[in-house]
Amino acid sequence: MDKLVIKGQGELSGSVEISGSKNAALPILMGCLLAETPVKLANVPHLMDVTTTLHLLGAMGVDILFDENRCIEIDASNIKHREAPYELVKTMRASILVLGPLLARFGEAKVSLPGGCAIGSRPVNIHLDGMEKMGAKIEVEDGYVVAKVDGRLQGAEIDMPMVTVTGTENLLMAAVLAEGITILRNAAREPEVTDLAQFLVKMGAKITGIGTDTLVIEGVKKLNGVEYSVIPDRIEAGTYLAAAVLTHSKLTVTKVVPQHLTDVIKKFKEAGAEVSCTADTITLDMRDRKLVPVNIETAPYPDFPTDMQAQFLVMNALAEGESTVQETIFENRFMHVSELMRMGAKITVEGNTAKVQGISKLKGACVMATDLRASACLVLAGLVAEGETVIDRVYHIDRGYELIEEKFHKIGAHIYRRT
């Protein structure tokens, strides 16, 4: 099993080109099931979750081609199977997103209940309740969701009881081919949801309210393939900027959308960093600056993202003074705390709040990644720790960070992979 080895306490410099967004690419790949002609996608990151998704689509009979520019052509015109088996979806919760497209286009779907990071309950009942309101008959049998509809799904008014990104995406994809008008209230507003909606509109869907918490979808009879480029990964960008803060460096991330990180940038400034932006770059300068602790509370977009919580927890662990990090999205997302404590961090967890007492330095240790963003925070800790840090179970990080050791090595980090 691969490990990452990091020798810390070096300064970073230069720039990092940000890859396409994993959390946007996955639903867009699933959305290709709705198209009756081929779709060509650009800026899709080369990640384990993307590979899993392509294997899943291929198993259904989707034809997949890659060109010399790393674009992917998805042709779902001859779907043979309408099932997502457990063997292919057990590592990835986003696999549930095939349910809406299959049900909308073919009137049936059988999808294994998904796996993925062990960061808490992410129930699919909101997805299923919404599709039942649209006329689907749904049963859960032997760990599978079995859904059918006679004819087309029907438009409905759906008030989601909580903000859910995948729930919004699944119901949005189900609604675009439904008969009549569907209204999704309390919809997620994340840039990745907006990217999916814009992709669907380009294919011929009729959606209004994009970027707001109320989406109105007028169903159409069919969607056609298009060429589309996935948005940059805001969480990858935020992770590299956090590395610059921790190493007191100056670093630029390129091919980004700064507006997607407005609240994160605000917190970087509170932490003492100087931050400047252009249309598609963010430069953070932490040289000769004091790291200040910042209180964090995660919340749905446009507020502070849960996927940046672990990175800021490391920053607070090395900032002078006390701080709190409150997690309101997932109930089990502090598993990285025990690993940081192995490196010397002083953190206590009470319910959904981590209380941090800043210290002057961390020490390298053997640690274990427990989920995708936890693995990223351990890389950041290793960059500034005394001595050597060895991170085990890095398959988690390969799910969401493209070429992480190559990118960090390019900007001056001492990091390599070993088996």
Side-chain angles (χ1 to χ4, degrees):
M1 189 177 293
D2 284 1
K3 298 176 174 61
L4 285 178
V5 181
I6 306 166
K7 294 181 179 179
Q9 299 196 307
E11 188 173 323
L12 307 177
S13 64
S15 64
V16 179
E17 184 177 304
I18 298 305
S19 301
S21 167
K22 173 186 84 83
N23 289 340
L26 298 184
I28 287 174
L29 285 167
M30 311 293 191
C32 293
L33 292 168
L34 292 161
E36 296 187 5
T37 54
V39 175
K40 191 171 185 179
L41 297 177
N43 205 35
V44 177
H46 182 61
L47 299 168
M48 191 179 295
D49 276 8
V50 170
T51 300
T52 300
T53 301
L54 294 175
H55 284 160
L56 174 58
L57 295 176
M60 293 178 182
V62 174
D63 292 323
I64 301 168
L65 295 174
F66 298 85
D67 69 17
E68 64 278 6
N69 297 317
R70 294 185 63 194
C71 292
I72 304 176
E73 184 175 291
I74 309 288
D75 185 354
S77 58
N78 295 304
I79 293 287
K80 298 179 180 66
H81 307 287
R82 293 148 195 183
E83 179 177 341
Y86 175 74
E87 291 74 21
L88 286 173
V89 306
K90 61 184 179 182
T91 62
M92 189 181 68
R93 291 181 183 268
S95 57
I96 193 67
L97 290 173
V98 300
L99 181 62
L102 288 176
L103 187 60
R105 184 174 169 202
F106 302 105
E108 61 179 359
K110 184 179 179 180
V111 181
S112 172
L113 291 170
C117 290
I119 57 174
S121 174
R122 290 190 268 190
V124 299
N125 61 294
I126 295 175
H127 308 225
L128 307 187
D129 291 346
M131 290 179 199
E132 286 183 331
K133 287 184 179 179
M134 298 169 72
K137 297 178 181 178
I138 296 177
E139 295 182 358
V140 178
E141 303 173 349
D142 301 322
Y144 280 80
V145 176
V146 180
K148 294 183 179 180
V149 63
D150 294 326
R152 294 170 64 187
L153 290 169
Q154 301 295 306
E157 295 192 20
I158 301 171
D159 296 293
M160 289 180 281
M162 60 180 287
V163 177
T164 161
V165 171
T166 54
T168 300
E169 292 167 342
N170 226 346
L171 294 173
L172 176 60
M173 289 189 283
V176 292
L177 292 181
E179 186 174 8
I181 293 175
T182 299
I183 301 175
L184 298 180
R185 297 191 180 91
N186 201 26
R189 300 162 57 189
E190 274 72 3
E192 298 78 14
V193 176
T194 296
D195 204 32
L196 173 65
Q198 291 171 341
F199 167 68
L200 295 171
V201 167
K202 194 170 183 181
M203 289 202 299
K206 296 181 179 179
I207 306 169
T208 58
I210 295 174
T212 75
D213 62 1
T214 302
L215 296 172
V216 180
I217 307 102
E218 182 181 348
V220 297
K221 291 186 177 180
K222 68 175 184 176
L223 297 177
N224 293 311
V226 293
E227 294 186 7
Y228 195 80
S229 183
V230 175
I231 60 170
D233 195 314
R234 62 191 172 108
I235 304 303
E236 184 193 23
T239 300
Y240 284 103
L241 293 172
V245 171
L246 283 160
T247 57
H248 292 272
S249 305
K250 181 179 181 180
L251 191 68
T252 298
V253 292
T254 65
K255 293 190 176 180
V256 295
V257 181
Q259 294 85 349
H260 292 170
L261 284 160
T262 299
D263 204 63
V264 174
I265 290 172
K266 176 184 174 183
K267 289 296 182 180
F268 280 136
K269 291 179 178 178
E270 284 185 29
E274 179 181 324
V275 185
S276 59
C277 303
T278 68
D280 61 354
T281 71
I282 305 171
T283 298
L284 186 147
D285 192 349
M286 195 66 181
R287 296 172 300 177
D288 301 318
R289 289 174 171 268
K290 181 181 178 181
L291 179 55
V292 178
V294 292
N295 294 326
I296 297 294
E297 180 177 350
T298 65
Y301 189 84
D303 294 326
F304 192 89
T306 180
D307 282 350
M308 283 298 300
Q309 173 254 103
Q311 297 88 318
F312 270 76
L313 192 63
V314 181
M315 288 168 47
N316 282 343
L318 288 166
E320 184 179 343
E322 298 179 350
S323 59
T324 60
V325 176
Q326 187 174 2
E327 174 58 59
T328 70
I329 307 298
F330 299 121
E331 74 276 15
N332 192 26
R333 209 170 200 184
F334 284 130
M335 290 186 292
H336 45 282
V337 167
S338 60
E339 301 302 301
L340 291 174
M341 291 174 68
R342 287 172 56 81
M343 302 176 72
K346 293 185 178 180
I347 307 169
T348 57
V349 176
E350 298 178 4
N352 69 339
T353 301
K355 296 183 178 181
V356 186
Q357 175 63 59
I359 58 175
S360 60
K361 61 184 177 181
L362 296 173
K363 293 185 178 181
C366 292
V367 293
M368 181 176 65
T370 53
D371 64 70
L372 171 55
R373 305 307 169 185
S375 59
C377 94
L378 295 176
V379 171
L380 298 184
L383 291 174
V384 292
E386 285 186 344
E388 183 177 271
T389 298
V390 180
I391 304 174
D392 201 358
R393 296 174 68 180
V394 296
Y395 58 84
H396 283 295
I397 207 164
D398 292 335
R399 292 181 50 231
Y401 288 89
E402 185 177 44
L403 302 173
I404 188 166
E405 63 265 38
E406 288 91 338
K407 289 187 177 183
F408 266 121
H409 182 76
K410 181 182 175 183
I411 57 177
H414 300 286
I415 178 173
Y416 65 93
R417 184 177 296 241
R418 77 179 185 202
T419 55

